[in-house]
Amino acid sequence: MNHSTPNLKDTLAETWLFRMLDEQQLDQIVSQTCSMPVGQNVCVIGQGDAPEGTFWIVSGQVKIVLHTKKGGEKTLEILGHSTCFGLGEMLLEKPHLTFAKTTTDSVLLHIN
């Protein structure tokens, strides 16, 4: 499942989310992680999707957007390098209330 991403373990070890893990725990996370090069304007998570892990932004930008009842969109946040999204839904095992869409070419890590 792990695409050939140089220094994937080092990248994860430097994140605030995983830096407290020991080597064995980090190896477990790495085995469940894949690198995703994603183009601009690609929906990574759909509103209502079941959680299937969390995402870490290595490079690029992702905007978190809510579809309104009137059919519009409300941007809640624009995330950049070294941030994660999807963690709350994954931990709570709840469908995503928002969708996540890249605003630039991006590299994401998807952690199952």
Side-chain angles (χ1 to χ4, degrees):
M1 180 172 223
N2 184 358
H3 293 86
S4 59
T5 302
N7 303 316
L8 179 58
K9 187 173 181 178
D10 292 340
T11 300
L12 289 172
E14 292 172 6
T15 68
W16 60 263
L17 190 58
F18 299 117
R19 75 174 117 219
M20 74 300 230
L21 300 179
D22 64 30
E23 288 293 314
Q24 184 179 10
Q25 293 168 323
L26 196 55
D27 287 338
Q28 249 184 318
I29 298 295
V30 169
S31 74
Q32 297 297 311
T33 301
C34 69
S35 177
M36 298 174 50
V38 183
Q40 181 179 357
N41 294 320
V42 174
C43 186
V44 180
I45 295 174
Q47 192 167 329
D49 284 357
E52 295 182 6
T54 191
F55 293 85
W56 187 265
I57 303 171
V58 176
S59 65
Q61 271 188 339
V62 174
K63 70 178 178 176
I64 307 300
V65 181
L66 178 67
H67 281 165
T68 65
K69 292 180 183 178
K70 295 180 180 179
E73 293 182 356
K74 169 88 174 152
T75 299
L76 302 176
E77 193 169 10
I78 297 180
L79 305 172
H81 172 71
S82 294
T83 56
C84 72
F85 59 97
L87 182 61
E89 293 87 350
M90 183 190 68
L91 293 174
L92 296 173
E93 298 180 353
K94 300 283 185 182
H96 291 275
L97 298 175
T98 59
F99 70 92
K101 183 177 181 180
T102 57
T103 60
T104 63
D105 289 344
S106 301
V107 176
L108 308 176
L109 299 180
H110 179 244
I111 303 134
N112 264 344

